[in-house]
Amino acid sequence: MTALVLGHKNPDTDSIIAALAAENLFRGRGIDVAAAAQGEPAPETKFVLDRFKLNAPQIVSSVAGHDVYLVDYSDLAQAPDDFKDAKLLGILDHHKLGDVTSDAPLECWIQPVGCSNTIIKVVSDFYGVKIPAALAGAMLCAILSDTVLFKSPTCTKTDVKVANELAEIAGIQDINALGMEMFKAKSNLDASPRDLIFRDFKDFDMGGKKVGIGQLELISLDMISSDLMGKLQSELDAVKAEGRNSAILVLTDIMKEGSKMLVSSDNEDIIYQALGAKKDNTWMSGVMSRKKQVVPPLQAAFKA
Ligand code: MG
Ligand code: MG
Ligand code: MG
């Protein structure tokens, strides 16, 4: 049976390109797999796929009865709803360990680096599996995306080393120029407020409460008009009302290297306090990573 290699809900560039890169890795080892995604590519990912002439993975919303490898997550909340009826074969990820489990021994490659594609390159080298030039270019873009051009505190020396090796394979001279081109595509605000909130959105269980956190990374926050800011707040209130304790939208300015946020919550004081922000001024200097700088303090505050 062909196993699926599947990224998380609301797929970002890393989860989609990691599915393609892990497909190359497993097929290179003689394992029958097919890349899959839980949704359409976002504008940034579309740019990457077009730039390197790669096809988007098939879209899958049900995995019951399938063998599955997960890339870029290990949380049930980010897996298809019928994941409990699938067989988990392995995980390639760079997040905190989630709550999936398996019935049999599984292949796990989880490391605290900046991007799942960094791990897949390291594992491909371990098995001697070659990476085609186009795929290498897309994997480089995934690293630039997840590490925000190497500026995120999640970025490690391994990410920078692997990015340079991938640039070499892809024949890319100017890594930074490629990254800026990609972030310009990512900064596209031509979508509904709901689509903007869900473009990169994850639900977390925090002390038994459902907390949804979206992130928009833009070249400049000045791109968001006050009209759009108001619409995003009202839509976020609607998203919160759909069975969540809290909905948060983190708005990251990649050039100024910090974030603002919109909050809709039954416990907003906990959120502002945990993140060192004020209700009337939510600018958080240096905050770029949801994974490392937003989720852990919120987890701790909601548990307390
Ligand atoms: Mg991701
Ligand atoms: Mg990632
Ligand atoms: Mg990200």
Side-chain angles (χ1 to χ4, degrees):
M1 183 169 53
T2 305
L4 296 172
V5 183
L6 186 63
H8 54 74
K9 282 182 176 161
N10 303 308
D12 58 3
T13 298
D14 185 28
S15 74
I16 287 192
I17 303 304
L20 297 174
E23 180 187 74
N24 181 72
L25 163 67
F26 288 122
R27 286 185 179 171
R29 291 161 55 192
I31 301 167
D32 183 19
V33 299
Q38 297 186 65
E40 297 283 347
E44 178 194 63
T45 315
K46 252 180 235 148
F47 164 86
V48 174
L49 293 168
D50 290 350
R51 172 76 169 69
F52 294 101
K53 299 189 174 58
L54 295 168
N55 292 321
Q58 60 178 312
I59 293 178
V60 159
S61 55
S62 163
V63 292
H66 279 94
D67 290 352
V68 181
Y69 290 94
L70 300 184
V71 287
D72 201 34
Y73 69 116
S74 64
D75 291 296
L76 283 173
Q78 293 167 38
D81 296 340
D82 60 4
F83 182 79
K84 61 176 187 335
D85 301 318
K87 185 175 170 194
L88 179 62
L89 297 187
I91 303 169
L92 291 135
D93 187 29
H94 68 127
H95 293 84
K96 75 176 186 69
L97 187 59
D99 52 2
V100 299
T101 187
S102 69
D103 298 324
L106 75 169
E107 176 173 343
C108 265
W109 301 90
I110 301 176
Q111 289 181 7
V113 293
C115 181
S116 298
N117 276 278
T118 298
I119 299 168
I120 297 172
K121 166 70 165 65
V122 169
V123 179
S124 297
D125 290 350
F126 177 79
Y127 285 104
V129 175
K130 290 258 175 307
I131 297 172
L135 180 59
M139 291 170 73
L140 167 62
C141 283
I143 295 174
L144 293 172
S145 170
D146 264 16
T147 65
V148 196
L149 306 175
F150 307 132
K151 291 194 273 197
S152 168
T154 58
C155 186
T156 66
K157 278 181 189 153
T158 309
D159 295 294
V160 177
K161 176 170 174 284
V162 165
N164 279 294
E165 290 166 358
L166 290 167
E168 177 90 34
I169 297 169
I172 305 278
Q173 319 294 330
D174 192 338
I175 293 179
N176 210 55
L178 173 67
M180 284 308 287
E181 235 188 296
M182 182 184 69
F183 273 98
K184 265 183 208 145
K186 181 174 210 166
S187 299
N188 182 353
L189 292 173
D190 188 16
S192 70
R194 190 169 183 90
D195 286 351
L196 291 172
I197 290 169
F198 280 101
R199 186 177 280 172
D200 179 7
F201 187 92
K202 289 179 181 172
D203 278 312
F204 299 89
D205 179 286
M206 298 197 177
K209 297 186 170 80
K210 188 171 177 183
V211 177
I213 309 174
Q215 184 175 24
L216 273 180
E217 291 157 321
L218 302 173
I219 297 214
S220 165
L221 292 188
D222 298 339
M223 297 171 68
I224 307 179
S225 65
S226 55
D227 177 57
L228 177 58
M229 201 63 98
K231 286 177 177 158
L232 287 168
Q233 180 67 58
S234 343
E235 191 58 42
L236 197 65
D237 293 340
V239 169
K240 186 250 166 204
E242 290 158 15
R244 294 182 177 86
N245 169 277
S246 306
I248 301 169
L249 182 62
V250 178
L251 303 162
T252 301
D253 188 315
I254 67 165
M255 298 315 289
K256 292 202 179 112
E257 301 188 28
S259 300
K260 280 188 197 176
M261 66 179 162
L262 297 175
V263 175
S264 181
S265 173
D266 292 336
N267 300 95
E268 57 175 23
D269 292 345
I270 292 182
I271 294 171
Y272 293 127
Q273 203 188 349
L275 297 175
K278 294 191 186 80
K279 189 176 175 159
D280 56 354
N281 177 12
T282 62
W283 176 253
M284 299 169 285
S285 184
V287 170
M288 306 190 76
S289 167
R290 172 175 51 195
K291 183 189 354 283
K292 203 160 181 166
Q293 295 166 298
V294 177
V295 173
L298 287 180
Q299 287 276 15
F302 272 97
K303 250 181 229 166

